[in-house]
């Protein structure tokens, strides 16, 4: 009478696709586009390739009188490293499958964004996705596939291998129900903001009306790809520690500490083990469960672990941020504040804030542009921690900014684990450490603005005299 | 160099447990408590058993000087129908496993809340959960188990069967790191609001300080358990239709329409098939994929399907809502507005709104109590659709409510699929149909308040004369 069943991850997100940002045709067209573009940018950056990304949205039916919502062909192609043929169908045909489950900054983190775009196309049009991947070995693989949603597995319907001399890259062509009429401004804004923050990328967008948008790269300087890092002691839990102990190849607990934790050298390890009362020479594999629990307690309590460093992070940087703001917002004044690396729950993060004041591009009043791991966040502004800080924690009168003055605030949080509140990566949850760093960066940038404004004020006073 | 891997559902929510409401010890203690209480209430209601629910939070270490966060034993026990032994370990040991993946109103919907509570306990204390279940067959099963997080499977460490004459019920005892100091007020508020909306339940809560909270039932009248229903044509997509066609046992498309869709009788089916140009006698299994796509288009376009009915829903009802508000908020005036059944994307829903004005319990100004499928929602108020309506869409001056007057707004949305924005069931996403019904209910209740206030005003005027 009470009947139990199990559902697969793809089945779960098929039923609950609004959790992943696929709630309606307009929103889904945006989400599919962004998931694919973010995949392309991640791949190019990891491989050190200057990104050339091509995005096209074409109505399936050439009859222009047909109203939205209606089927579109969304195609995203890049010049990145491509995807190894043995992984290609699973990369897009399985939820919770990917290459970004590591402690290293990337746009992707859940192993499902590409798959959800394919899935949404399939459930609304039943057409297979067309994938093309070349990894620079002289060949390109072309696949047509669908997803077995109940089983969370790809169904490859056609596969061809063609010559592709000297090129690499990935192309995804999905047919899906969309609403370009409603989604257009958000899609264009997403690409524009991506160009602001990724000035080394070429983005070409041909939209449903055939209009071309070309964001040309303004620099050939790419950020250094971040390294994978080890977990920090403050973020470790008992499950994670037990796995490290089980997999450990170190003969002593002292060596184990050094090999498995972020920035723990021999001195730190020795002093910590002394503090925690554990024997530095004990065999990690011999540790009992209750001992592991108290080791975790000690790891959290010990005050002298080095703060996380930023080798696993890739902030935008003051120069690039300034260039991007200048190019897109053309303000009268720019202030940038880059905070030193910090951490929440052991996850390293860096906050960067820009302020753009005046000029003719920004609308009157306050605008907020939010970014996380170089992704523009365009939804749920009111729920985001940045918005709450601007709305509740900043005393604007203190900075003598006229309320009708055009003022743009640009926030970027980068981390090995961005604390998104939702699977759809819409906004950041409140984390006290991140909140504190955002406030500090904001106040620093506002002070720079205040200095500028008072100088303006005193200059105007001098001029009037 | 680019290495792919797959992670299980439990591994995904272990790494991203904040998506499910397990972000820190304080929040996790609340989330674990609520997930278990909601399971107990669901089970009792489905079985028509007046719920007796016992909740206890006890510090693991009796040394009271130990500060939060620290390990607690959380125990939730009910007199419900119990869980069949063959499903017991998977019910709590597997993510995406449960009995509520159906089109019927229930608090649970994701198949993971109980499992997450166990998982959080395990990763913070490494202790097994103790489960007890009796299904009324004279025996009770006692299990100690943990979760193999990588495999998404239970690890049963001990199992005993003991005599349990004439009783049924479930008990869950999980040991987890918590912060009762921070969580106490939210936990107490959750139970108090649950008592408001579930006046037929006995709730006994013994907290970490040994204090007893007893919410005694004020009625023995229970709501009729909702029926499982069929999908409505407006909510169907191509994947869902193809599955129905594949599993279909009907010989004709006409019969198929009647057997598989909500409130589609023979007349409606015949007229729809005529409208869509499909042959009523065709064999459903012979339908081609492209035909299925155009059938779905027609299902969405056809205007004359009956609106969903409410047999799959279980609203609180005007009487119970009024009783609960009276008992807990003791206001001077109550207005209730229950909307007729409606639907979003084919999912039936009902909106109920109560207004409580005046009295000594409510604080000054506006308070919002939100409920969905009889669950109190205590987090992320500012992101919820109800809050946005109160904040942006209501002209309060129109209703002549003094801003300092105590005014409580109680909203309840019940549906076969509550459009939660997050896996942690914190708040409702914006759905235009739900938004419209909430506004209508609110305005209706406010008009009742306005009538009352103007009568008060005129009575006071008369008295002054
Ligand atoms: N354009 C691309 N070029 C190279 N590799 C890609 C590309 N698109 C996807 N991939 C690979 O496929 C994997 C799965 O992509 P998918 O978007 O589903 O998940 P993800 O990017 O890892 O995480 P998220 O769900 O957060 O986006 C990626 O991890 C990446 O290895
Ligand atoms: N106290 C209980 N009495 C009877 N059955 C229960 C009880 N607790 C859990 N169950 C069963 O175990 C299943 C799994 O519970 P779990 O909380 O993990 O998922 P759910 O309630 O179905 O969905 P959700 O994740 O939204 O809570 C339930 O569907 C229910 O069948
Ligand atoms: Mg991705
Ligand atoms: Mg549940």
């Amino acid at each position: 009478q009470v009947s139990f069943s199990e559902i697969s991850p793809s089945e779960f997100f098929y039923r609950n696709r609004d959790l992943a940002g696929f709630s309606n045709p307009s929103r889904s067209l945006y989400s599919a586009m962004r998931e694919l573009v973010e995949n392309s940018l991640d791949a190019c950056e990891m491989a050190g390739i200057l990104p050339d990304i091509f995005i096209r949205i074409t109505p399936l039916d050439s009859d222009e009188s047909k109203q939205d919502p209606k089927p579109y062909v969304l195609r995203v192609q890049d010049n990145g490293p491509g995807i190894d043929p043995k992984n290609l169908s699973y990369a897009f045909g399985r939820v919770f499958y990917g290459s970004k489950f590591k402690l290293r900054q990337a746009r992707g983190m859940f192993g499902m964004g590409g798959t959800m775009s394919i899935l949404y196309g399939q459930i609304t049009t039943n057409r297979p996705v067309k994938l093309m991947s070349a990894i620079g070995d002289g060949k390109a693989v072309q696949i047509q596939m669908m997803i077995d949603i109940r089983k969370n597995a790809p169904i490859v319907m056609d596969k061809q291998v063609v010559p592709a001399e000297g090129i690499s890259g990935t192309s995804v062509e999905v047919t899906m129900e969309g609403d370009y009429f409603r989604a257009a401004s958000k899609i264009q804004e997403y690409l524009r903001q991506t160009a602001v923050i990724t000035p080394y990328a070429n983005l070409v967008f041909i939209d449903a009306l055939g209009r071309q948008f070309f964001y040309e790269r303004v620099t050939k300087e790419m950020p250094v790809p971040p390294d994978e890092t080890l977990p920090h002691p403050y973020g470790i839990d008992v499950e994670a520690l037990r796995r490290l102990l089980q997999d450990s190849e170190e003969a002593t607990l002292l060596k184990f500490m050094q090999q498995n934790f972020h920035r723990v050298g021999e001195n730190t390890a020795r002093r910590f083990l002394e503090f925690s009362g554990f024997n530095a020479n004990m065999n990690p594999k011999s540790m009992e469960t209750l001992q592991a629990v108290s080791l975790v307690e000690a790891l959290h309590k010990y005050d002298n672990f080095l703060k996380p460093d930023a080798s696993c992070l890739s902030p935008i940087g003051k120069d690039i941020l300034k260039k991007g703001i200048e190019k897109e917002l053309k303000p009268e004044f720019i202030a940038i504040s880059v905070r030193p690396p910090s951490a929440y729950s052991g996850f390293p993060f860096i906050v960067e804030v820009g302020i753009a004041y005046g000029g003719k591009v920004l609308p009157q009043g306050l605008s907020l542009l939010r970014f996380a791991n170089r992704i523009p966040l365009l939804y749920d502004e009111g729920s985001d921690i940045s918005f709450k800080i601007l709305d509740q924690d900043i005393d604007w009168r203190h900075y003598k900014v006229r309320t009708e003055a055009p003022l743009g605030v640009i926030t970027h949080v980068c981390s090995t684990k961005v604390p998104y509140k939702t699977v759809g990566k819409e906004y950041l949850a409140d984390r006290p450490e991140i909140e504190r760093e955002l406030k500090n960066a904001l106040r620093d940038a506002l002070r720079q603005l205040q200095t500028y404004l008072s100088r303006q004020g005193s200059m105007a006073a001098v001029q009037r005299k």
Side-chain angles (χ1 to χ4, degrees), chain A:
Chain A
Q1 198 206 32
V2 173
S3 69
F4 281 76
S5 58
E6 176 179 357
I7 60 174
S8 71
S10 47
E11 180 71 20
F12 177 84
F13 283 108
Y14 160 51
R15 293 164 177 248
N16 298 297
R17 50 191 176 271
D18 25 5
L19 294 177
F22 288 84
S23 29
N24 56 55
S26 156
R27 183 66 196 274
S28 300
L29 189 57
Y30 173 90
S31 293
M33 180 275 311
R34 74 164 286 198
E35 292 289 355
L36 297 177
V37 169
E38 288 161 24
N39 282 347
S40 293
L41 287 170
D42 270 350
C44 290
E45 288 176 2
M46 274 300 296
I49 298 171
L50 283 170
D52 289 334
I53 303 187
F54 173 80
I55 305 123
R56 181 164 198 159
I57 295 175
T58 317
L60 183 64
D61 190 328
S62 50
D63 175 4
E64 290 200 354
S65 68
K66 283 217 160 197
Q67 293 235 338
D68 279 304
K70 57 183 181 179
Y72 288 92
V73 179
L74 165 68
R75 181 148 172 270
V76 176
Q77 179 164 334
D78 61 65
N79 62 335
I83 303 174
D84 195 308
K86 70 180 195 286
N87 300 316
L88 181 58
S89 63
Y90 282 89
F92 291 99
R94 175 160 283 180
V95 170
F96 297 160
Y97 182 90
S99 62
K100 300 168 198 167
F101 296 127
K102 303 177 168 50
L103 278 175
R104 174 207 289 138
Q105 176 181 328
R107 293 169 185 76
M109 62 189 283
F110 296 137
M112 58 180 281
T115 308
M116 284 307 295
S117 309
I118 311 313
L119 189 148
Y120 187 83
Q122 174 172 321
I123 66 172
T124 55
T125 67
N126 209 57
R127 290 183 175 233
V129 61
K130 292 190 188 142
L131 302 172
M132 188 156 38
S133 165
I135 56 173
D137 62 353
K139 309 196 229 71
V141 177
Q142 296 176 347
I143 279 183
Q144 288 205 34
M145 63 170 254
M146 297 182 83
I147 302 175
D148 185 328
I149 297 178
R150 277 174 171 156
K151 294 211 183 99
N152 196 27
I155 306 170
V156 178
M157 298 155 72
D158 187 54
K159 179 174 178 176
Q160 317 236 356
V161 182
V162 300
E165 212 41 63
I167 62 162
S168 70
T170 305
S171 163
V172 180
E173 185 180 292
V174 57
T175 308
M176 55 179 287
E177 186 188 41
D179 187 330
Y180 189 70
F181 178 70
R182 282 200 168 77
S185 61
K186 281 282 206 272
I187 289 176
Q188 291 164 28
E189 183 63 15
Y190 176 91
L191 294 170
R192 187 182 78 98
Q193 290 192 19
T194 296
V196 169
I197 214 125
T198 327
Y200 46 86
N202 277 342
L203 307 173
V204 178
F205 172 45
I206 302 180
D207 83 350
L209 306 170
R211 300 178 293 196
Q212 299 195 14
F213 301 77
F214 189 24
Y215 296 98
E216 199 167 358
R217 66 169 55 97
V218 294
T219 173
K220 292 199 169 179
E221 204 185 299
M222 279 189 67
V224 178
D227 296 327
E228 190 176 346
T229 191
L230 296 169
H232 193 277
Y234 292 153
I236 208 81
D237 58 71
V238 183
E239 172 78 18
L241 178 67
R242 294 191 59 205
R243 288 179 189 185
L244 291 176
L245 291 166
Q246 271 173 17
D247 299 347
S248 126
E249 300 180 349
E250 295 82 33
T252 66
L253 194 55
L254 181 74
K255 269 269 166 267
F256 170 84
M257 289 296 304
Q258 296 173 51
Q259 289 301 320
N260 286 288
F261 291 101
H262 179 74
R263 292 187 93 189
V264 173
E266 189 180 340
N267 283 334
T268 305
R270 217 173 265 295
R271 275 183 251 129
F272 164 73
L273 289 171
E274 210 163 303
F275 160 87
S276 62
F278 276 84
N279 176 5
N281 288 321
M282 107 182 253
N283 181 350
K285 282 197 157 51
S286 72
M287 189 171 299
E288 307 257 320
T289 322
L290 279 181
Q291 289 179 300
V293 177
S294 48
L295 183 58
V296 169
E297 273 186 40
L299 286 166
H300 292 173
K301 280 214 192 77
Y302 186 66
D303 271 339
N304 290 335
F305 285 121
L306 294 172
K307 287 184 63 166
D309 75 29
S311 56
C312 52
L313 299 179
S314 181
I316 299 167
K318 184 167 179 173
D319 275 358
I320 288 182
L321 192 52
K322 191 164 189 195
K323 271 205 194 95
I325 293 174
E326 221 147 46
K327 173 166 183 266
E328 285 302 316
L329 301 182
K330 302 183 184 55
E332 166 191 327
F333 171 79
I334 296 176
I336 306 280
S337 175
V338 177
R339 299 291 299 161
S342 184
Y344 80 92
S345 303
F347 294 105
F349 73 89
I350 286 174
V351 165
E352 304 169 286
V353 167
I355 285 193
Y357 175 83
K360 297 205 175 58
V361 175
L362 280 166
Q364 287 198 331
L366 188 56
S367 310
L368 174 60
L369 275 68
R370 296 168 290 138
F371 296 87
N373 282 11
R374 302 159 180 264
I375 299 173
L377 306 181
L378 299 195
Y379 283 90
D380 295 312
E381 179 187 74
S383 305
D384 192 289
I385 180 65
S386 294
F387 181 88
K388 292 179 181 177
I389 291 172
L390 292 182
D391 193 44
Q392 299 165 16
D393 299 326
I394 301 292
D395 181 3
W396 292 99
R397 303 159 304 171
H398 174 76
Y399 296 101
K400 301 196 171 50
V401 180
R402 303 191 319 278
T403 37
E404 73 283 4
L407 183 67
V409 175
I410 299 95
T411 62
H412 181 236
V413 177
C414 64
S415 178
T416 51
K417 184 185 169 191
V418 174
Y420 293 113
K421 187 88 176 187
T422 57
V423 182
K425 292 181 193 145
E426 285 133 332
Y427 65 97
L428 267 52
D430 309 358
R431 285 279 184 280
E433 300 87 344
I434 296 184
E435 185 173 348
R436 187 185 58 230
E437 290 305 306
L438 278 168
K439 283 186 198 170
N440 289 338
L442 202 44
R443 287 179 180 139
D444 177 36
L446 283 171
R447 269 193 298 271
Q448 300 177 40
L449 174 65
Q450 191 179 19
T451 304
Y452 169 79
L453 288 178
S454 46
R455 223 180 292 143
Q456 291 291 77
S458 53
M459 277 174 57
V462 166
Q463 282 180 346
R464 287 192 294 272
K465 282 184 180 163

